[in-house]
Amino acid sequence: MKKLKLSLMIIGSLLLVFIIVTMFNALTLESRQPSPDYFNGMIQEDHAINTLSKAVQFKTISYQDRSKMDLDEFDRFISFLKESFPIVHEELELEKVNGHALVYKWNGTDSTKLPIGLTSHYDVVPVLEGTEDNWEHPPFSGTVADGKIWGRGTLDDKIGVIGILEAVEHLLKENYQPSRDIYLMFGHDEEIGGDEGAALIVKTLNGKGIKFDFVLDEGGAIVENMVPGVNKPVGVVGVSEKGSATAELSIEGSGGHSSQPKNRTNIGRIAGAIAKLEETQFPADLQGPGEELFEFVAPEMSFGMKYVFANKFVFEPVIEKILLQQPASAALIRTTIAPTIFQAGEQYNALPEKALAIVNLRLMPGDSLKEVKEYIEETIGDDEIKVTIQGSEASGVSDVDSWHFKTIQQSARNVYDEAVIAPYLMFAGSDAKHYDSIAENTYRFLPVQLTSEDLNRMHGTNEHISIDNYMKAIIFYMEVIREADKKQ
């Protein structure tokens, strides 16, 4: 009996300590959001609206087949920028890289400081043939209606190009002079990888020995109902982007008549391999940018969720299980598998001699192509299936404790004071990855507040931006320039 009482006392004491420690962790969790420093200036709204509206009307479309690109239209767009932003073109140095990628240099007063870079792209994706009539306003009309600007590029990403130039033009009118050099870098082929735009900008700047404190590109945005337990809008700043790779699974062997099939046909073996991959999936691990996201939003959560995330060392398996329930949150914590193409057979009564499947993979930071290939081979467990993989690994992970990130966070809070600004892992690609080699940190953030429907419009039908969002984007870019000047 004494031993039982002693055991119960020990268990009770340990439980009490556990409760005290975990409650303390939850109650002392401090917000990582800076106080807003509100913008008090004025911007020329009519000029800004008119300029973005006209910018959308240029069909600067990128095609995978580059021979289809109308580069004369790109030239006309560049001329339009010169006409629309005369002070920028008088005061800043402009260099064209590869004819159509643009680099503006704004000279600062202190040459001892490393420059910062603001980058966007002015190419857009095509409008899917046959969907033109589904648009409320024609996709290249630049229509201004119902408090919105309509057309391809209003979200991705002429708003970034025009927003940055509007911000700089306004600051120049105020005789603002930055302390550090500022580069404005606009690619023309981001939608097809940026190999002839941003990549060559980087090569050119690297050849001149230019390095950046940080580069800010498009990427995350401010979205509502994104994080469980957070009622406020969450602005996510990409600190890394996942790698993108393609795995090919193939098998060859004798075909034959379908009336005498083997127990395991080529189609069956490839289908079985895909089934194993989807059933097994890559291991989940809440680490890196995904973990940092929740470190920033946890203090803003309801108490129950705050308690769980403040004690990740205990509840990590539970957290990961919750995150794996939704595709978007699952992609935060594991390399993803998406079978996209299956090829086999030509005739209904003939067994195919070859079967092939294509799997798109989005790699977590730290996962190498070699490791991913080995994991696929181990999972499918069929030596006769050949696995090849090609693509890119994830970009580097930028610092969230640096003044670089805090500058972006503060600037966003100055404009969107209700939003929780946090780091995250970007799933799609951007030009930012090219700048990794010449920047201490690269970040990805489009300073607009979007709904889930808006996100679907970026490469889809009825792309548009509200005028209020657009004005706030311009102010944000002004704030980034000013906030960066406050740093050493």
Side-chain angles (χ1 to χ4, degrees), residues 127-144:
V127 174
L128 186 64
E129 189 174 350
T131 66
E132 294 87 351
D133 292 341
N134 297 335
W135 288 68
E136 291 185 35
H137 301 281
F140 292 98
S141 65
T143 300
V144 180

Side-chain angles (χ1 to χ4, degrees), residues 29-294:
L29 203 60
E30 295 183 355
S31 177
R32 299 188 66 170
Q33 302 302 306
S35 298
D37 182 8
Y38 298 104
F39 174 78
N40 295 316
M42 296 288 291
I43 55 177
Q44 287 187 294
E45 187 170 310
D46 289 344
H47 180 272
I49 294 170
N50 184 56
T51 306
L52 181 57
S53 171
K54 288 182 177 178
V56 169
Q57 296 173 40
F58 292 89
K59 297 181 179 180
T60 51
I61 303 171
S62 277
Y63 295 95
Q64 291 296 334
D65 180 356
R66 289 180 180 266
S67 66
K68 294 182 178 180
M69 293 170 66
D70 182 0
L71 294 180
D72 289 339
E73 190 78 343
F74 288 67
D75 289 329
R76 286 189 283 271
F77 179 80
I78 293 170
S79 297
F80 159 76
L81 293 182
K82 185 175 181 179
E83 296 168 4
S84 301
F85 303 102
I87 304 178
V88 168
H89 287 81
E90 288 173 10
E91 300 293 331
L92 275 60
E93 302 170 13
L94 171 60
E95 179 179 4
K96 295 180 183 178
V97 175
N98 198 22
H100 298 95
L102 308 177
V103 179
Y104 295 84
K105 181 184 179 184
W106 191 359
N107 291 309
T109 58
D110 187 350
S111 60
T112 65
K113 292 183 176 182
L114 287 178
I116 66 168
L118 303 178
T119 183
S120 294
H121 64 92
Y122 66 91
D123 63 314
V124 298
V125 297
V127 174
L128 186 64
E129 189 174 350
T131 66
E132 294 87 351
D133 292 341
N134 297 335
W135 288 68
E136 291 185 35
H137 301 281
F140 292 98
S141 65
T143 300
V144 180
D146 304 320
K148 303 177 181 70
I149 305 169
W150 295 76
R152 180 66 86 226
T154 50
L155 285 173
D156 187 12
D157 182 35
K158 285 178 178 173
I159 183 179
V161 174
I162 304 301
I164 290 169
L165 289 171
E166 285 285 348
V168 173
E169 183 89 356
H170 183 80
L171 290 173
L172 287 168
K173 286 180 180 178
E174 293 184 338
N175 296 315
Y176 182 84
Q177 181 67 49
S179 63
R180 65 180 73 244
D181 292 348
I182 297 174
Y183 285 78
L184 317 178
M185 301 168 291
F186 305 134
H188 69 290
D189 64 342
E190 187 272 351
E191 297 293 0
I192 51 176
D195 293 335
E196 295 188 9
L200 293 184
I201 289 176
V202 169
K203 183 178 180 180
T204 300
L205 295 177
N206 192 44
K208 297 178 181 180
I210 296 169
K211 303 292 182 184
F212 293 94
D213 258 328
F214 73 84
V215 170
L216 173 62
D217 194 7
E218 61 156 337
I222 299 170
V223 185
E224 297 180 5
N225 303 317
M226 176 180 175
V227 182
V230 182
N231 297 322
K232 298 177 182 178
V234 177
V236 288
V237 179
V239 295
S240 178
E241 59 189 68
K242 290 181 113 176
S244 179
T246 298
E248 180 180 289
L249 280 60
S250 62
I251 187 170
E252 294 188 39
S254 59
H257 199 280
S258 63
S259 63
Q260 301 179 58
K262 298 178 181 178
N263 289 339
R264 298 190 69 198
T265 63
N266 291 335
I267 287 180
R269 295 178 84 151
I270 292 292
I274 294 296
K276 285 183 179 179
L277 287 173
E278 289 192 322
E279 182 179 353
T280 307
Q281 297 289 338
F282 279 82
D285 186 9
L286 182 57
Q287 49 86 27
E291 182 178 24
E292 290 171 339
L293 166 64
F294 289 102

